[in-house]
Amino acid sequence: AAGTVPRRRPPRSDMGRGLSLLLLPLALLAAPTRAEGGTAAAEEVQIEVLHLPEACSPKSKKGDLLNAHYDGFLASDGSKFYCSRTQNEGHPKWFVLGVGQVIKGLDIAMMNMCPGEKRKVTIPPSLAYGQQGYAQGKIPPNATLIFEIELYAVNKGPRSVEAFNQIDKDGDKKLSELEISQYLKEEFARDGKKRHPSAHDEILADIFKKNDHDGDGFISAKEYNVYQHDEL
């Protein structure tokens, strides 16, 4: 979609919604390439807390599913290059923290953040788009970025034990087509978005195509947990 900065090609049709947030999360503002090395260790993300609610729980951690609005600015001239409120009918963005769905600097900047908290963060080029920049996103080479972030929700992530057990109704430690189909229906009913009748079957088929690696018709706990080896 216009205004997002995908790492790869954008998701097709409406398959990037609903349960895809939990099983097949979107790449939102993810860097198309990693910044070239050498300076990352010497540069850090600067975090300014603008608002901290009295009740600060739970704090965000790697693997959590976050819901947030954020605006992006170029530090050089203050021009805005991204505004989540103008995308997707103004809905806050959902993404999984710490797994590369957003640029490295945002993964760092949004750790230990609580629902209702607002931050202003400054991200050096080495933790954003590096020497290449990102022309499609109006980000020049070697650009320092500033984001103003408002976090709305911190949920258990899509690859957590809790999420797996929520789908695994019969407790056999593997997800059947029926279990995931039922979970899809629940998610669709929960978010209330209008979808083409074929969306359910398309997403279900896509989930098994991408997760059922041994082709046995089930998604095992091992197949489900694709983030277990990620390092921040």
Side-chain angles (χ1 to χ4, degrees):
T4 59
V5 186
R7 179 169 54 186
R8 300 185 180 91
R9 63 183 181 180
R12 57 190 177 86
S13 69
D14 194 44
M15 292 179 63
R17 313 298 181 198
L19 182 76
S20 57
L21 294 173
L22 298 175
L23 286 174
L24 307 169
L26 294 175
L28 305 174
L29 214 69
T33 57
R34 292 191 177 275
E36 295 181 11
T39 59
E43 296 182 306
E44 297 181 350
V45 175
Q46 299 175 25
I47 299 174
E48 177 185 356
V49 177
L50 302 178
H51 173 71
L52 186 66
E54 290 185 11
C56 184
S57 180
K59 288 189 175 183
S60 60
K61 63 184 183 303
K62 180 184 176 183
D64 282 344
L65 183 66
L66 306 188
N67 184 233
H69 265 314
Y70 45 86
D71 295 334
F73 306 85
L74 297 180
S76 58
D77 60 9
S79 62
K80 183 182 290 188
F81 64 84
Y82 183 81
C83 177
S84 64
R85 291 174 174 83
T86 63
Q87 307 297 320
N88 191 28
E89 299 180 346
H91 296 298
K93 299 296 183 183
W94 288 96
F95 64 94
V96 180
L97 183 65
V99 299
Q101 289 188 358
V102 292
I103 56 175
K104 185 74 170 179
L106 277 177
D107 267 340
I108 295 170
M110 296 184 69
M111 289 288 179
N112 299 310
M113 197 172 179
C114 54
E117 185 174 343
K118 298 179 183 179
R119 290 181 178 181
K120 180 179 181 180
V121 302
T122 302
I123 300 174
S126 60
L127 298 174
Y129 294 90
Q131 297 177 13
Q132 294 183 348
Y134 192 69
Q136 184 178 341
K138 300 179 181 179
I139 299 171
N142 299 310
T144 296
L145 307 181
I146 296 173
F147 284 93
E148 293 181 357
I149 306 164
E150 183 173 3
L151 182 61
Y152 294 104
V154 177
N155 296 330
K156 294 293 184 182
R159 304 294 179 169
S160 67
V161 173
E162 292 86 352
F164 184 92
N165 290 337
Q166 184 179 0
I167 304 171
D168 183 23
K169 300 292 188 182
D170 62 9
D172 64 354
K173 303 304 179 185
K174 58 185 179 181
L175 307 181
S176 68
E177 185 173 325
L178 180 61
E179 287 172 330
I180 294 180
S181 177
Q182 181 60 37
Y183 192 73
L184 265 177
K185 293 175 182 177
E186 293 172 0
E187 284 298 301
F188 285 179
R190 186 176 294 115
D191 70 25
K193 291 181 180 293
K194 293 182 179 180
R195 293 177 174 82
H196 189 277
S198 65
H200 174 279
D201 292 341
E202 289 179 359
I203 294 176
L204 185 62
D206 200 52
I207 288 170
F208 273 86
K209 180 181 178 181
K210 293 181 178 178
N211 293 273
D212 182 17
H213 304 305
D214 61 10
D216 67 350
F218 294 90
I219 298 174
S220 67
K222 183 177 181 180
E223 289 170 329
Y224 180 82
N225 191 10
V226 298
Y227 295 145
Q228 61 185 342
H229 301 301
D230 282 354
E231 295 178 1
L232 185 61

